[in-house]
Amino acid sequence: MSRVFDFRGGVHPPENKIQSTTEAIGRIPLARELVLPLNQHIGNSARALVEPGHKVLKGQLIASAQSGLSANIHASTSGVVKSVEERIANHPSGMATLSIVLEPDNKDVWMALQECPDPFALTSAEIIKAIHNAGIAGMGGAGFPTAIKLGGQNLTTLILNAAECEPYITADDMLMREQSEEIVLGALLIANALSIKKILIGIEDNKPEAIAALSRTIGKSDNRGTRVELAVVPTKYPSGGEKQLIKLLTGLEVPAGKLPSTLGIVLQNVATTRAVWRATRFGEPLVSRVTTITGRSLSRQRNVELPLGTPVSHLLNQHGFNAEDNVRVIIGGPMMGYTIDNLSVPVTKTTNCVLAPSKQELSASMNEKSCIRCGMCADVCPVRLLPQQLFWYSKARDHDKAKAYHLLDCIECGACSYVCPSDIPLVQYFRAAKGSIKTEVKEKQKSDRARTRFEARKQRLQAVEAEIAARRAARKSQASRNVSDSVDNVDLEP
Amino acid sequence: MSLLKLTSPHLHKRISTSGVMAQIMLATAPGVVALVWFFGWGVVFNLVLAIFFCLLFESVALALRKRPVLSTLLDGSACVTALLLALAIPPCAEWWLIACGSFFAIVVAKHLYGGLGFNPFNPAMVAYVVLLISFPVEMIQWVKPVTGTQTHLLFSEAFTHAFGGATNLDAFTSATPLDAMKHRGELELSVLVAQHDAFINRVFAGTAWEWINGGFLLGGLFLLYQRIFTWHAPVGMLAAILILSTVFYRGGGVDSSGSPLFHLFSGATMLGAFFIITDPVTSASSNKGRFVYGISIGILIFVIRIWGNYADAVAFSVLLMNFAAPFIDYYTVPRAWGHEKAQVVSVKK
């Protein structure tokens, strides 16, 4: 077992993970329609390749990745393309986004998949190509296209993020219990492709079954020259935060504003490495994921493997959703998740949990009171910021000061708001301030560009004028020289 | 069904400002019991009067400022201020003295600056200092602690004094141990301790005060255990007093300034360390800052006790360091994650 370090701060909210781990990962009947947004990942939207009326098979490419940061999208079941239109996105903004709407034929027929008996025989470029083709994006929540993340240079350590520190969420936990082999094989394959010699699996100690399953798998699998270590970390939120987990496992701090690759580290979520294995070994693109469906307004709480695009409403209805006893539905966990106001939004590549709490389960809206500067927020801040100072400056819109106190390093984990005795929605203030700073920067860039353009134009005009003036002067002097020349000539003529 | 649009986190710890205040009040219990045990009804009258006046002024100030009155009263902060003020001034103080103090604490020191969370100075200490400077005679009239066979002022006597001022308290008052120490002239410390009233029946510090300080220490440890505050400020202050009093301890001689135990368990040391300098609003905000803040207060307390004009100095030291808190904050920012230096990054305009 690997040595474990500690990070300062963090909180211990009630875990609430037991209720969704009593059953094995299940399945639900297909919804009447599946909605596949073209931007389920960070970066540029994919471009739709199908039109209404097209028949598609499960796994068929229906939207292709664009240049830069982007990922492919595949049909998550067989059926007919109903439309390609704007649908409400599964996003905090609640805005509409271009989506492919699929009407399942309920046969769920796969297209012909290209299996590969030994993915370890593939070259690194082939593996990354396969990951890209399968449309895999980080399944822990961020949705960063995996193929691009693996393009980094000089990587030495692969950290498998199995911490799952958010309360309520157990999707990774259940997946590790049931599919530890595919998870580890996926990780080994990535390590192989990047010639990484060390894999650290970071997992919180509240998942004994998953830990047992992983260590059994590591013990018996051929690790192909890669050192695989299980690092069991104490349960503390947010140990699954990228920078926090790196500190826990290696004792190193990722420098501010830099990526983990600066330290030679690349992180992958366990669900992602499993998808990598399925994609390379069986040729399966990413068309489904395991999602936790939990909360006391449901009669049944568990994990289900869902085709991407399943509407949240369908998922809720299949689990005895009592709408009377619910005032909010959260995508993700209670610490960092966001509420949706339209239940028709689809489950996407990053949806690890749908939380439908009862009215009593999570406190309703709160009455913000004066800050008494108690400092509890600073004690729990995992990034060692001073949330109360940031709060003053954010509220006063003093963005320079907020930046001076490292507002932009805030990871919005919510630990400060969680402990605040005055019920101040600190994270909300920070988000708003960050948003304004972003806008300010953009405006500044815009005005800078305008100024540069204006100045360039002025220079250009001046240059033209100068040239004209120079030419005129030259002509003038030429003319006068010609005159004097002719005079001289006259003089010089014998 | 209508869905709420809320931002994360959706989960909150069950802890509230009023809960924090309630625990602080509860934690003063051992100290209050000791005070009542030694000084009798006068302490109770102080408490009742201070709570009454503070809540009254708080309500009036809130109403004038057009803020919600009842919900704010329930946060308990005015009550804690009242409690600290009542415990700091001599027992059996006359009602107008307490009314005056409450006015300064709540209206001047707190609401004129913007109410809870915005006051730069500790309200109870501002009131205490205003009273000490304006009414020095009333403010040093400590009734004699009751020891052995003596009896307390009767309820009626204490009542008359608090409301009518008819009873002459002179017969019941005496110097506190810190006063006796300060004004002993050329007397050797060992002689003073052997002869003076303020040191009869003592165990290691001064009559009654060692128990009172012990009580507040106990309450303070409870709050520490409950994580109402961190150890930094109290430990800083007590350590500073301990070290200085050890360095300057000269046994029982003429020039002795008292033993470390005497300084730790006399006057308002423990009340100050656990209930006054831990007031988060007026102290430095980071843990490192609070440590520095505590140490500085400890140094000031000792310096004023030994070389200043006043017998005790918690209030003055706290107010002086309240001034310095923003300054300390600026130089004690924690090193943010992934940054090489602990500093506020100045932004170029």
Side-chain angles (χ1 to χ4, degrees), chain A residues 268-305:
Chain A
Q268 291 295 339
N269 168 269
V270 287
T272 315
T273 65
R274 185 216 178 196
V276 165
W277 180 252
R278 306 265 340 156
T280 46
R281 171 71 184 82
F282 304 104
E284 268 179 32
L286 182 59
V287 292
S288 69
R289 68 156 297 140
V290 176
T291 298
T292 306
I293 170 82
T294 185
R296 265 182 246 151
S297 69
L298 303 167
S299 63
R300 189 176 187 189
Q301 304 178 42
R302 58 169 175 164
N303 282 279
V304 280
E305 178 137 24

Side-chain angles (χ1 to χ4, degrees), chain B:
Chain B
M1 185 185 74
S2 66
L3 290 170
L4 284 175
K5 198 77 179 140
L6 297 169
T7 59
S8 66
H10 306 277
L11 198 59
H12 298 275
K13 203 173 179 179
R14 300 261 171 234
I15 179 170
S16 61
T17 305
S18 51
V20 170
M21 298 294 175
Q23 289 201 321
I24 293 172
M25 286 189 264
L26 180 69
T28 57
V32 172
V33 168
L35 273 166
V36 174
W37 177 270
F38 288 106
F39 296 106
W41 285 106
V43 179
V44 180
F45 282 122
N46 272 8
L47 283 170
V48 172
L49 284 169
I51 290 173
F52 170 76
F53 282 118
C54 280
L55 291 184
L56 177 73
F57 288 128
E58 176 96 348
S59 316
V60 172
L62 287 168
L64 286 175
R65 294 179 58 216
K66 299 188 174 60
R67 300 289 146 92
V69 176
L70 194 67
S71 62
T72 314
L73 277 186
L74 287 178
D75 72 22
S77 64
C79 239
V80 168
T81 302
L83 198 68
L84 297 178
L85 179 64
L87 298 179
I89 60 184
C92 228
E94 290 183 58
W95 69 270
W96 55 266
L97 193 72
I98 296 175
C100 220
S102 304
F103 176 80
F104 267 93
I106 299 294
V107 178
V108 179
K110 186 173 166 190
H111 282 288
L112 286 189
Y113 284 100
L116 181 63
F118 296 94
N119 48 302
F121 302 103
N122 186 313
M125 293 300 100
V126 169
Y128 179 84
V129 165
V130 166
L131 294 180
L132 186 62
I133 291 171
S134 315
F135 310 105
V137 178
E138 284 81 357
M139 287 296 284
I140 55 166
Q141 274 190 337
W142 276 84
V143 292
K144 237 183 259 181
V146 169
T147 49
T149 55
Q150 291 165 285
T151 52
H152 287 296
L153 276 178
L154 291 175
F155 179 83
S156 56
E157 286 171 318
F159 187 84
T160 332
H161 186 261
F163 290 99
T167 316
N168 186 356
L169 271 190
D170 282 354
F172 294 95
T173 60
S174 77
T176 64
L178 278 170
D179 273 325
M181 175 83 78
K182 176 121 232 146
H183 302 295
R184 70 176 194 269
E186 294 299 306
L187 213 55
E188 283 193 3
L189 184 63
S190 52
V191 179
L192 177 84
V193 171
Q195 293 176 350
H196 199 282
D197 270 1
F199 296 95
I200 358 171
N201 291 342
R202 74 193 179 96
V203 181
F204 53 85
T207 314
W209 290 97
E210 53 199 21
W211 289 98
I212 293 162
N213 274 282
F216 287 125
L217 171 63
L218 206 64
L221 293 178
F222 164 74
L223 291 180
L224 210 52
Y225 174 73
Q226 291 288 319
R227 299 184 181 207
I228 299 297
F229 46 73
T230 60
W231 57 268
H232 302 81
V235 168
M237 170 181 151
L238 295 177
I241 293 182
L242 177 69
I243 292 169
L244 285 176
S245 54
T246 311
V247 169
F248 288 95
Y249 184 44
R250 304 252 194 304
V254 179
D255 60 348
S256 178
S257 53
S259 70
L261 271 180
F262 174 76
H263 280 285
L264 288 176
F265 284 87
S266 239
T269 308
M270 293 298 173
L271 180 69
F274 291 103
F275 293 89
I276 292 167
I277 74 166
T278 51
D279 166 30
V281 177
T282 55
S283 81
S285 52
S286 67
N287 287 339
K288 210 187 337 172
R290 284 179 178 168
F291 192 52
V292 174
Y293 174 79
I295 292 174
S296 317
I297 290 177
I299 294 172
L300 280 175
I301 289 176
F302 189 78
V303 167
I304 300 178
R305 272 185 189 174
I306 306 306
W307 295 290
N309 277 327
Y310 287 91
D312 203 357
V314 172
F316 290 111
S317 312
V318 168
L319 291 182
L320 281 170
M321 290 318 293
N322 285 166
F323 265 117
F327 175 78
I328 296 175
D329 274 346
Y330 187 84
Y331 286 101
T332 52
V333 287
R335 183 179 65 83
W337 191 284
H339 288 264
E340 283 182 10
K341 269 196 202 157
Q343 62 175 7
V344 177
V345 180
S346 56
V347 179
K348 286 179 211 98
K349 283 269 180 188

Side-chain angles (χ1 to χ4, degrees), chain A residues 64-78:
Chain A
S64 70
Q66 295 305 288
S67 60
L69 216 53
S70 191
N72 285 337
I73 291 165
H74 305 80
S76 43
T77 186
S78 58

Side-chain angles (χ1 to χ4, degrees), chain A residues 5-9 159 241-265 267 381-385 406 409, chain B residues 334-342:
Chain A
F5 299 81
D6 190 18
F7 68 91
R8 215 211 61 167
I159 290 181
E242 187 173 76
K243 294 179 172 183
Q244 281 65 40
L245 193 65
I246 291 174
K247 176 77 197 287
L248 281 166
L249 267 47
T250 65
L252 300 172
E253 265 181 32
V254 179
K258 295 276 166 55
L259 293 171
S261 54
T262 342
L263 302 174
I265 294 170
L267 263 89
C381 178
V383 193
R384 290 188 303 256
L385 305 179
H406 312 295
D409 289 306
Chain B
R335 183 179 65 83
W337 191 284
H339 288 264
E340 283 182 10
K341 269 196 202 157

